[in-house]
Amino acid sequence: MTMTTVTGPATKLPAYCKWLGLYYVLVGILMVLPVFLNAAHIQWLPSPSFAITIKMVALVVALATSLSCWLMFRHIGRIRQVDRDGQGTPAVLLSCLFLAVCGYYSTITTVPLAAATLAGDDMEMTFVVKDVKPYPIKRCGYAVELEYLSPHYGTLCNFPPEFTDSLSPGTQIVVTGRGTSWGLFVESARRL
């Protein structure tokens, strides 16, 4: 195994690499935003119809984010004359995959979250239960996973066991909160 060293002055990165770096940071923050909201006991759910409708757009954003990451790493490698022996390729591929996942989830959550924050009103939305965890989960309590949504942003948390014990896969529930037809901030839930 040979080690590649960088010698000489580093070449300045083009402006688009810096803008892409800021974009990647923003996409990463937006992806973990639902996790931070859950940690602050603020439940957020996009509507299943919005998540299904925007899925193709989210896949395109994920692909574009991953491809731009790959191209940026190839450009950086060419500028600094690093990675001639291919040792950095697995790290680059993992970074591109991670950013693709970030791009996908941030697309599905950001638009409805912003709409609910800026123009939300009191409303109810119907969901179908996919799975109920029979034991408390760290920072979530008794979790209820919902159909058509990812566990990343489609899990109800911190509801009492009396409510979650009455649920089973396929049960319809009505979630009440502030939001739009694209998603809402959860305040309460009941069986349909």
Side-chain angles (χ1 to χ4, degrees), residues 20-36 65 98-107 109-110 152:
L20 281 175
L22 288 173
Y23 167 72
Y24 299 146
V25 169
L26 177 64
V27 162
I29 290 170
L30 292 174
M31 184 190 119
V32 297
L33 185 60
V35 175
F36 288 129
T65 303
F98 174 73
L99 286 171
V101 170
C102 289
Y104 179 82
Y105 284 126
S106 65
T107 302
T109 59
T110 302
H152 174 71

PDB file of all heavy atoms in Angstrom, residues 20-36 65 98-107 109-110 152:
ATOM      1  N   LEU A  20     -21.443  24.411  -3.373  1.00  0.00           N
ATOM      2  CA  LEU A  20     -21.915  23.034  -3.189  1.00  0.00           C
ATOM      3  C   LEU A  20     -21.700  22.577  -1.749  1.00  0.00           C
ATOM      4  O   LEU A  20     -22.542  21.892  -1.179  1.00  0.00           O
ATOM      5  CB  LEU A  20     -21.206  22.088  -4.159  1.00  0.00           C
ATOM      6  CG  LEU A  20     -21.723  22.079  -5.591  1.00  0.00           C
ATOM      7  CD1 LEU A  20     -20.847  21.186  -6.465  1.00  0.00           C
ATOM      8  CD2 LEU A  20     -23.165  21.629  -5.658  1.00  0.00           C
ATOM      9  N   GLY A  21     -20.576  22.957  -1.156  1.00  0.00           N
ATOM     10  CA  GLY A  21     -20.324  22.613   0.242  1.00  0.00           C
ATOM     11  C   GLY A  21     -21.387  23.202   1.164  1.00  0.00           C
ATOM     12  O   GLY A  21     -21.889  22.522   2.065  1.00  0.00           O
ATOM     13  N   LEU A  22     -21.764  24.462   0.931  1.00  0.00           N
ATOM     14  CA  LEU A  22     -22.829  25.083   1.729  1.00  0.00           C
ATOM     15  C   LEU A  22     -24.166  24.386   1.499  1.00  0.00           C
ATOM     16  O   LEU A  22     -24.946  24.188   2.433  1.00  0.00           O
ATOM     17  CB  LEU A  22     -22.950  26.569   1.380  1.00  0.00           C
ATOM     18  CG  LEU A  22     -21.818  27.458   1.887  1.00  0.00           C
ATOM     19  CD1 LEU A  22     -21.972  28.868   1.337  1.00  0.00           C
ATOM     20  CD2 LEU A  22     -21.792  27.470   3.400  1.00  0.00           C
ATOM     21  N   TYR A  23     -24.418  23.993   0.252  1.00  0.00           N
ATOM     22  CA  TYR A  23     -25.648  23.258  -0.066  1.00  0.00           C
ATOM     23  C   TYR A  23     -25.685  21.929   0.690  1.00  0.00           C
ATOM     24  O   TYR A  23     -26.712  21.552   1.255  1.00  0.00           O
ATOM     25  CB  TYR A  23     -25.744  23.031  -1.578  1.00  0.00           C
ATOM     26  CG  TYR A  23     -26.798  22.038  -1.979  1.00  0.00           C
ATOM     27  CD1 TYR A  23     -28.148  22.370  -1.890  1.00  0.00           C
ATOM     28  CD2 TYR A  23     -26.465  20.765  -2.431  1.00  0.00           C
ATOM     29  CE1 TYR A  23     -29.134  21.449  -2.254  1.00  0.00           C
ATOM     30  CE2 TYR A  23     -27.437  19.855  -2.798  1.00  0.00           C
ATOM     31  CZ  TYR A  23     -28.768  20.204  -2.706  1.00  0.00           C
ATOM     32  OH  TYR A  23     -29.727  19.299  -3.051  1.00  0.00           O
ATOM     33  N   TYR A  24     -24.555  21.219   0.741  1.00  0.00           N
ATOM     34  CA  TYR A  24     -24.510  19.930   1.434  1.00  0.00           C
ATOM     35  C   TYR A  24     -24.758  20.100   2.929  1.00  0.00           C
ATOM     36  O   TYR A  24     -25.443  19.289   3.554  1.00  0.00           O
ATOM     37  CB  TYR A  24     -23.177  19.235   1.210  1.00  0.00           C
ATOM     38  CG  TYR A  24     -22.886  18.933  -0.235  1.00  0.00           C
ATOM     39  CD1 TYR A  24     -21.591  18.966  -0.729  1.00  0.00           C
ATOM     40  CD2 TYR A  24     -23.900  18.638  -1.140  1.00  0.00           C
ATOM     41  CE1 TYR A  24     -21.310  18.689  -2.053  1.00  0.00           C
ATOM     42  CE2 TYR A  24     -23.645  18.371  -2.463  1.00  0.00           C
ATOM     43  CZ  TYR A  24     -22.346  18.402  -2.914  1.00  0.00           C
ATOM     44  OH  TYR A  24     -22.081  18.139  -4.228  1.00  0.00           O
ATOM     45  N   VAL A  25     -24.219  21.160   3.513  1.00  0.00           N
ATOM     46  CA  VAL A  25     -24.457  21.428   4.939  1.00  0.00           C
ATOM     47  C   VAL A  25     -25.945  21.708   5.169  1.00  0.00           C
ATOM     48  O   VAL A  25     -26.556  21.178   6.094  1.00  0.00           O
ATOM     49  CB  VAL A  25     -23.582  22.602   5.423  1.00  0.00           C
ATOM     50  CG1 VAL A  25     -24.001  23.073   6.808  1.00  0.00           C
ATOM     51  CG2 VAL A  25     -22.111  22.207   5.427  1.00  0.00           C
ATOM     52  N   LEU A  26     -26.543  22.524   4.296  1.00  0.00           N
ATOM     53  CA  LEU A  26     -27.965  22.843   4.424  1.00  0.00           C
ATOM     54  C   LEU A  26     -28.834  21.595   4.283  1.00  0.00           C
ATOM     55  O   LEU A  26     -29.753  21.365   5.076  1.00  0.00           O
ATOM     56  CB  LEU A  26     -28.364  23.882   3.376  1.00  0.00           C
ATOM     57  CG  LEU A  26     -29.844  24.265   3.339  1.00  0.00           C
ATOM     58  CD1 LEU A  26     -30.248  24.952   4.640  1.00  0.00           C
ATOM     59  CD2 LEU A  26     -30.137  25.146   2.144  1.00  0.00           C
ATOM     60  N   VAL A  27     -28.540  20.759   3.303  1.00  0.00           N
ATOM     61  CA  VAL A  27     -29.307  19.531   3.082  1.00  0.00           C
ATOM     62  C   VAL A  27     -29.171  18.604   4.296  1.00  0.00           C
ATOM     63  O   VAL A  27     -30.147  18.000   4.736  1.00  0.00           O
ATOM     64  CB  VAL A  27     -28.850  18.837   1.782  1.00  0.00           C
ATOM     65  CG1 VAL A  27     -29.287  17.394   1.727  1.00  0.00           C
ATOM     66  CG2 VAL A  27     -29.379  19.584   0.572  1.00  0.00           C
ATOM     67  N   GLY A  28     -27.974  18.511   4.858  1.00  0.00           N
ATOM     68  CA  GLY A  28     -27.775  17.681   6.048  1.00  0.00           C
ATOM     69  C   GLY A  28     -28.572  18.185   7.239  1.00  0.00           C
ATOM     70  O   GLY A  28     -29.188  17.402   7.969  1.00  0.00           O
ATOM     71  N   ILE A  29     -28.588  19.508   7.417  1.00  0.00           N
ATOM     72  CA  ILE A  29     -29.353  20.090   8.524  1.00  0.00           C
ATOM     73  C   ILE A  29     -30.843  19.841   8.334  1.00  0.00           C
ATOM     74  O   ILE A  29     -31.549  19.467   9.271  1.00  0.00           O
ATOM     75  CB  ILE A  29     -29.053  21.603   8.654  1.00  0.00           C
ATOM     76  CG1 ILE A  29     -27.620  21.804   9.163  1.00  0.00           C
ATOM     77  CG2 ILE A  29     -30.050  22.285   9.580  1.00  0.00           C
ATOM     78  CD1 ILE A  29     -27.143  23.236   9.094  1.00  0.00           C
ATOM     79  N   LEU A  30     -31.316  20.034   7.109  1.00  0.00           N
ATOM     80  CA  LEU A  30     -32.743  19.825   6.837  1.00  0.00           C
ATOM     81  C   LEU A  30     -33.143  18.362   7.011  1.00  0.00           C
ATOM     82  O   LEU A  30     -34.276  18.074   7.398  1.00  0.00           O
ATOM     83  CB  LEU A  30     -33.093  20.314   5.434  1.00  0.00           C
ATOM     84  CG  LEU A  30     -33.005  21.819   5.227  1.00  0.00           C
ATOM     85  CD1 LEU A  30     -33.237  22.165   3.767  1.00  0.00           C
ATOM     86  CD2 LEU A  30     -33.976  22.562   6.126  1.00  0.00           C
ATOM     87  N   MET A  31     -32.219  17.446   6.723  1.00  0.00           N
ATOM     88  CA  MET A  31     -32.550  16.035   6.891  1.00  0.00           C
ATOM     89  C   MET A  31     -32.725  15.670   8.366  1.00  0.00           C
ATOM     90  O   MET A  31     -33.619  14.912   8.721  1.00  0.00           O
ATOM     91  CB  MET A  31     -31.474  15.142   6.292  1.00  0.00           C
ATOM     92  CG  MET A  31     -31.856  13.665   6.370  1.00  0.00           C
ATOM     93  SD  MET A  31     -30.518  12.589   5.939  1.00  0.00           S
ATOM     94  CE  MET A  31     -30.313  11.686   7.443  1.00  0.00           C
ATOM     95  N   VAL A  32     -31.867  16.219   9.223  1.00  0.00           N
ATOM     96  CA  VAL A  32     -31.953  15.860  10.640  1.00  0.00           C
ATOM     97  C   VAL A  32     -32.917  16.762  11.410  1.00  0.00           C
ATOM     98  O   VAL A  32     -33.140  16.538  12.589  1.00  0.00           O
ATOM     99  CB  VAL A  32     -30.557  15.867  11.313  1.00  0.00           C
ATOM    100  CG1 VAL A  32     -29.650  14.832  10.692  1.00  0.00           C
ATOM    101  CG2 VAL A  32     -29.920  17.236  11.265  1.00  0.00           C
ATOM    102  N   LEU A  33     -33.516  17.754  10.742  1.00  0.00           N
ATOM    103  CA  LEU A  33     -34.457  18.642  11.421  1.00  0.00           C
ATOM    104  C   LEU A  33     -35.599  17.883  12.097  1.00  0.00           C
ATOM    105  O   LEU A  33     -35.915  18.181  13.258  1.00  0.00           O
ATOM    106  CB  LEU A  33     -34.990  19.690  10.435  1.00  0.00           C
ATOM    107  CG  LEU A  33     -35.888  20.770  11.019  1.00  0.00           C
ATOM    108  CD1 LEU A  33     -35.155  21.558  12.090  1.00  0.00           C
ATOM    109  CD2 LEU A  33     -36.379  21.693   9.923  1.00  0.00           C
ATOM    110  N   PRO A  34     -36.236  16.900  11.441  1.00  0.00           N
ATOM    111  CA  PRO A  34     -37.288  16.151  12.154  1.00  0.00           C
ATOM    112  C   PRO A  34     -36.780  15.446  13.416  1.00  0.00           C
ATOM    113  O   PRO A  34     -37.508  15.330  14.405  1.00  0.00           O
ATOM    114  CB  PRO A  34     -37.769  15.132  11.117  1.00  0.00           C
ATOM    115  CG  PRO A  34     -37.464  15.743   9.807  1.00  0.00           C
ATOM    116  CD  PRO A  34     -36.176  16.499  10.029  1.00  0.00           C
ATOM    117  N   VAL A  35     -35.547  14.999  13.397  1.00  0.00           N
ATOM    118  CA  VAL A  35     -34.972  14.343  14.584  1.00  0.00           C
ATOM    119  C   VAL A  35     -34.843  15.351  15.721  1.00  0.00           C
ATOM    120  O   VAL A  35     -35.185  15.063  16.870  1.00  0.00           O
ATOM    121  CB  VAL A  35     -33.598  13.719  14.244  1.00  0.00           C
ATOM    122  CG1 VAL A  35     -32.938  13.148  15.482  1.00  0.00           C
ATOM    123  CG2 VAL A  35     -33.756  12.648  13.173  1.00  0.00           C
ATOM    124  N   PHE A  36     -34.356  16.569  15.409  1.00  0.00           N
ATOM    125  CA  PHE A  36     -34.233  17.612  16.433  1.00  0.00           C
ATOM    126  C   PHE A  36     -35.614  18.033  16.941  1.00  0.00           C
ATOM    127  O   PHE A  36     -35.789  18.278  18.134  1.00  0.00           O
ATOM    128  CB  PHE A  36     -33.478  18.825  15.893  1.00  0.00           C
ATOM    129  CG  PHE A  36     -32.012  18.586  15.703  1.00  0.00           C
ATOM    130  CD1 PHE A  36     -31.410  18.902  14.504  1.00  0.00           C
ATOM    131  CD2 PHE A  36     -31.232  18.042  16.706  1.00  0.00           C
ATOM    132  CE1 PHE A  36     -30.054  18.685  14.309  1.00  0.00           C
ATOM    133  CE2 PHE A  36     -29.884  17.811  16.526  1.00  0.00           C
ATOM    134  CZ  PHE A  36     -29.295  18.130  15.331  1.00  0.00           C
ATOM    135  N   THR A  65     -27.781  15.498  -6.141  1.00  0.00           N
ATOM    136  CA  THR A  65     -26.892  15.779  -5.018  1.00  0.00           C
ATOM    137  C   THR A  65     -25.721  14.809  -5.009  1.00  0.00           C
ATOM    138  O   THR A  65     -24.567  15.206  -4.841  1.00  0.00           O
ATOM    139  CB  THR A  65     -27.669  15.693  -3.689  1.00  0.00           C
ATOM    140  OG1 THR A  65     -28.753  16.606  -3.732  1.00  0.00           O
ATOM    141  CG2 THR A  65     -26.774  16.029  -2.515  1.00  0.00           C
ATOM    142  N   PHE A  98     -24.436   9.103   1.328  1.00  0.00           N
ATOM    143  CA  PHE A  98     -25.004   9.822   2.477  1.00  0.00           C
ATOM    144  C   PHE A  98     -25.696  11.103   2.025  1.00  0.00           C
ATOM    145  O   PHE A  98     -26.806  11.411   2.465  1.00  0.00           O
ATOM    146  CB  PHE A  98     -23.911  10.130   3.505  1.00  0.00           C
ATOM    147  CG  PHE A  98     -24.384  10.984   4.636  1.00  0.00           C
ATOM    148  CD1 PHE A  98     -25.205  10.458   5.615  1.00  0.00           C
ATOM    149  CD2 PHE A  98     -24.023  12.322   4.708  1.00  0.00           C
ATOM    150  CE1 PHE A  98     -25.660  11.253   6.660  1.00  0.00           C
ATOM    151  CE2 PHE A  98     -24.475  13.119   5.742  1.00  0.00           C
ATOM    152  CZ  PHE A  98     -25.294  12.589   6.724  1.00  0.00           C
ATOM    153  N   LEU A  99     -25.058  11.852   1.133  1.00  0.00           N
ATOM    154  CA  LEU A  99     -25.655  13.102   0.653  1.00  0.00           C
ATOM    155  C   LEU A  99     -26.900  12.835  -0.198  1.00  0.00           C
ATOM    156  O   LEU A  99     -27.834  13.634  -0.203  1.00  0.00           O
ATOM    157  CB  LEU A  99     -24.633  13.923  -0.113  1.00  0.00           C
ATOM    158  CG  LEU A  99     -23.582  14.593   0.775  1.00  0.00           C
ATOM    159  CD1 LEU A  99     -22.473  15.208  -0.059  1.00  0.00           C
ATOM    160  CD2 LEU A  99     -24.220  15.640   1.678  1.00  0.00           C
ATOM    161  N   ALA A 100     -26.931  11.721  -0.906  1.00  0.00           N
ATOM    162  CA  ALA A 100     -28.134  11.366  -1.663  1.00  0.00           C
ATOM    163  C   ALA A 100     -29.302  11.122  -0.717  1.00  0.00           C
ATOM    164  O   ALA A 100     -30.433  11.587  -0.958  1.00  0.00           O
ATOM    165  CB  ALA A 100     -27.873  10.130  -2.521  1.00  0.00           C
ATOM    166  N   VAL A 101     -29.052  10.405   0.381  1.00  0.00           N
ATOM    167  CA  VAL A 101     -30.100  10.157   1.379  1.00  0.00           C
ATOM    168  C   VAL A 101     -30.554  11.480   2.001  1.00  0.00           C
ATOM    169  O   VAL A 101     -31.753  11.733   2.165  1.00  0.00           O
ATOM    170  CB  VAL A 101     -29.596   9.175   2.459  1.00  0.00           C
ATOM    171  CG1 VAL A 101     -30.559   9.088   3.627  1.00  0.00           C
ATOM    172  CG2 VAL A 101     -29.377   7.797   1.853  1.00  0.00           C
ATOM    173  N   CYS A 102     -29.593  12.356   2.313  1.00  0.00           N
ATOM    174  CA  CYS A 102     -29.931  13.674   2.867  1.00  0.00           C
ATOM    175  C   CYS A 102     -30.793  14.467   1.891  1.00  0.00           C
ATOM    176  O   CYS A 102     -31.791  15.079   2.281  1.00  0.00           O
ATOM    177  CB  CYS A 102     -28.665  14.463   3.183  1.00  0.00           C
ATOM    178  SG  CYS A 102     -27.717  13.866   4.582  1.00  0.00           S
ATOM    179  N   GLY A 103     -30.426  14.459   0.618  1.00  0.00           N
ATOM    180  CA  GLY A 103     -31.198  15.182  -0.388  1.00  0.00           C
ATOM    181  C   GLY A 103     -32.612  14.644  -0.520  1.00  0.00           C
ATOM    182  O   GLY A 103     -33.575  15.405  -0.645  1.00  0.00           O
ATOM    183  N   TYR A 104     -32.752  13.321  -0.459  1.00  0.00           N
ATOM    184  CA  TYR A 104     -34.070  12.688  -0.580  1.00  0.00           C
ATOM    185  C   TYR A 104     -34.981  13.093   0.580  1.00  0.00           C
ATOM    186  O   TYR A 104     -36.083  13.593   0.379  1.00  0.00           O
ATOM    187  CB  TYR A 104     -33.901  11.169  -0.625  1.00  0.00           C
ATOM    188  CG  TYR A 104     -35.201  10.425  -0.720  1.00  0.00           C
ATOM    189  CD1 TYR A 104     -35.825  10.260  -1.953  1.00  0.00           C
ATOM    190  CD2 TYR A 104     -35.807   9.890   0.404  1.00  0.00           C
ATOM    191  CE1 TYR A 104     -37.032   9.577  -2.056  1.00  0.00           C
ATOM    192  CE2 TYR A 104     -37.005   9.213   0.313  1.00  0.00           C
ATOM    193  CZ  TYR A 104     -37.610   9.059  -0.914  1.00  0.00           C
ATOM    194  OH  TYR A 104     -38.808   8.390  -1.001  1.00  0.00           O
ATOM    195  N   TYR A 105     -34.513  12.869   1.808  1.00  0.00           N
ATOM    196  CA  TYR A 105     -35.363  13.151   2.962  1.00  0.00           C
ATOM    197  C   TYR A 105     -35.619  14.635   3.160  1.00  0.00           C
ATOM    198  O   TYR A 105     -36.705  15.035   3.570  1.00  0.00           O
ATOM    199  CB  TYR A 105     -34.761  12.544   4.236  1.00  0.00           C
ATOM    200  CG  TYR A 105     -34.962  11.055   4.311  1.00  0.00           C
ATOM    201  CD1 TYR A 105     -33.890  10.202   4.493  1.00  0.00           C
ATOM    202  CD2 TYR A 105     -36.215  10.493   4.176  1.00  0.00           C
ATOM    203  CE1 TYR A 105     -34.073   8.839   4.557  1.00  0.00           C
ATOM    204  CE2 TYR A 105     -36.405   9.125   4.232  1.00  0.00           C
ATOM    205  CZ  TYR A 105     -35.325   8.305   4.434  1.00  0.00           C
ATOM    206  OH  TYR A 105     -35.521   6.962   4.478  1.00  0.00           O
ATOM    207  N   SER A 106     -34.631  15.473   2.884  1.00  0.00           N
ATOM    208  CA  SER A 106     -34.844  16.907   3.076  1.00  0.00           C
ATOM    209  C   SER A 106     -35.859  17.444   2.080  1.00  0.00           C
ATOM    210  O   SER A 106     -36.618  18.358   2.390  1.00  0.00           O
ATOM    211  CB  SER A 106     -33.528  17.672   2.978  1.00  0.00           C
ATOM    212  OG  SER A 106     -32.985  17.581   1.681  1.00  0.00           O
ATOM    213  N   THR A 107     -35.932  16.865   0.883  1.00  0.00           N
ATOM    214  CA  THR A 107     -36.930  17.296  -0.102  1.00  0.00           C
ATOM    215  C   THR A 107     -38.336  16.978   0.390  1.00  0.00           C
ATOM    216  O   THR A 107     -39.250  17.795   0.250  1.00  0.00           O
ATOM    217  CB  THR A 107     -36.682  16.601  -1.454  1.00  0.00           C
ATOM    218  OG1 THR A 107     -35.368  16.914  -1.892  1.00  0.00           O
ATOM    219  CG2 THR A 107     -37.687  17.052  -2.498  1.00  0.00           C
ATOM    220  N   THR A 109     -39.373  16.598   3.508  1.00  0.00           N
ATOM    221  CA  THR A 109     -39.773  17.254   4.754  1.00  0.00           C
ATOM    222  C   THR A 109     -39.752  18.773   4.691  1.00  0.00           C
ATOM    223  O   THR A 109     -40.558  19.423   5.351  1.00  0.00           O
ATOM    224  CB  THR A 109     -38.867  16.806   5.922  1.00  0.00           C
ATOM    225  OG1 THR A 109     -37.512  17.125   5.628  1.00  0.00           O
ATOM    226  CG2 THR A 109     -39.017  15.340   6.192  1.00  0.00           C
ATOM    227  N   THR A 110     -38.876  19.376   3.911  1.00  0.00           N
ATOM    228  CA  THR A 110     -38.669  20.820   3.981  1.00  0.00           C
ATOM    229  C   THR A 110     -39.870  21.623   3.494  1.00  0.00           C
ATOM    230  O   THR A 110     -40.321  22.550   4.172  1.00  0.00           O
ATOM    231  CB  THR A 110     -37.421  21.220   3.169  1.00  0.00           C
ATOM    232  OG1 THR A 110     -36.304  20.513   3.695  1.00  0.00           O
ATOM    233  CG2 THR A 110     -37.171  22.699   3.266  1.00  0.00           C
ATOM    234  N   HIS A 152     -38.049   7.694   9.455  1.00  0.00           N
ATOM    235  CA  HIS A 152     -37.309   8.929   9.736  1.00  0.00           C
ATOM    236  C   HIS A 152     -38.252  10.090  10.038  1.00  0.00           C
ATOM    237  O   HIS A 152     -37.988  10.901  10.901  1.00  0.00           O
ATOM    238  CB  HIS A 152     -36.418   9.266   8.537  1.00  0.00           C
ATOM    239  CG  HIS A 152     -35.723  10.583   8.654  1.00  0.00           C
ATOM    240  ND1 HIS A 152     -34.700  10.792   9.543  1.00  0.00           N
ATOM    241  CD2 HIS A 152     -35.908  11.751   8.007  1.00  0.00           C
ATOM    242  CE1 HIS A 152     -34.279  12.042   9.428  1.00  0.00           C
ATOM    243  NE2 HIS A 152     -35.002  12.637   8.504  1.00  0.00           N
TER     244      HIS A 152
END
